[in-house]
Amino acid sequence: VPVQVQRLPGVRFRVTFHAPLETAESDSGRDEKAAAIAATAQFQRLLEDWIRQDPGHWLCTKRRWVG
């Protein structure tokens, strides 16, 4: 269940609980690695949407793309 916290004016915050991410149901023929990649991509798209809504409120110090 994705949870989004937004800073409001003053010392206030809005916490939004979003609908659960859709994931493939477990079955014997499912490729677990492909399912994990799909779920990660779905979450990353959601996170990207949140950042685009208010980019000034985001800071990422993790060096994701450094070789």
Side-chain angles (χ1 to χ4, degrees):
V1 175
V3 179
Q4 181 182 18
V5 179
Q6 297 166 288
R7 184 183 305 269
L8 301 175
V11 186
R12 296 179 51 207
F13 297 87
R14 175 184 300 126
V15 178
T16 305
F17 292 83
H18 294 273
L21 296 177
E22 296 294 324
T23 57
E25 291 296 322
S26 179
D27 63 32
S28 60
R30 188 179 90 183
D31 179 355
E32 289 189 17
K33 183 176 180 179
I37 291 170
T40 301
Q42 183 180 11
F43 175 72
Q44 290 297 321
R45 285 190 298 275
L46 179 61
L47 187 60
E48 181 181 351
D49 289 343
W50 293 349
I51 293 169
R52 287 180 186 275
Q53 288 173 12
D54 198 351
H57 283 197
W58 289 85
L59 171 67
C60 181
T61 59
K62 183 175 180 176
R63 299 175 63 178
R64 291 181 181 223
W65 297 281
V66 176

